[in-house]
Amino acid sequence: EIAAAGNVKTETRGRREGAEAPGGERGGDARQARRSGLIRQDAPAYATADALTYDSAAALAVYKGNAQLWQGETTIKGDTIVVDDQKGDLSASGRVASKMMLDRVGPKSKAKELVRSVATAREMVYEDRLHRVTYTGEARLSSSEAGDLAADRIEVHLAGSGDQMERLEGYGAVTVRTPEGRTATGARLTYLTAADEYVMTGSPATYEDESGETTGKSLTFSRSTDRIVVDGKGLRRSELKRVIKG
């Protein structure tokens, strides 16, 4: 085990498959450490903290005190950051803040676009096997594609490459505000990136825009159309308001 304290700074570099690892191991060896899917393999990553412990047998690094990990425009901050180079997992706890640059495929253009995702929470856990980032405890996430999301727990599901968001999930006291200013609340939210579609459920779930408020057990709506599905019945928002207000 290695321990360091006092203004700790580290730089790590990814290894190509088959490249020789420290100690003479080959990259194809089953014990080969791998980086988290949130960190690119072809560029160095940096970290700072007040203290660091590294267990070489477990390939586990624990950064404590004002911990920060970054690579390019991707940054993760927390009181503690744990990097598991065996599983490719990563976690942060205590005053967590993260910023990730993710690809998305535009629902209309079908072209790749770069989207910034900024989040805060009390805890963040990335599971490489599931390609999932989970924020818990007063979780907040903001992105130009999904808008502003607040919930007890937020999950970001990534594609296998780790650089593209497939969907968002929100659980418990969920509020989302779309980039266009529409607001929905409920107990459970799913946002599907490819379809640009929100599904909010609750007892009740609510949806509000410039023309008023809609409630139901299940609300499905999209940024790109003026239709909303309420409890399985699809209507234009203008039609829906007349039904509710009438």
Side-chain angles (χ1 to χ4, degrees), residues 35-87:
R35 278 183 170 179
S36 161
L38 299 180
I39 303 298
R40 288 169 45 201
Q41 304 298 311
D42 59 351
Y46 305 91
T48 59
D50 295 336
L52 164 68
T53 58
Y54 180 72
D55 184 337
S56 57
L60 193 72
V62 180
Y63 298 87
K64 289 188 175 181
N66 301 303
Q68 179 172 348
L69 173 69
W70 74 94
Q71 182 187 67
E73 294 191 70
T74 294
T75 62
I76 298 167
K77 298 178 181 180
D79 293 339
T80 301
I81 295 176
V82 179
V83 181
D84 187 331
D85 281 334
Q86 279 193 349
K87 296 180 179 178

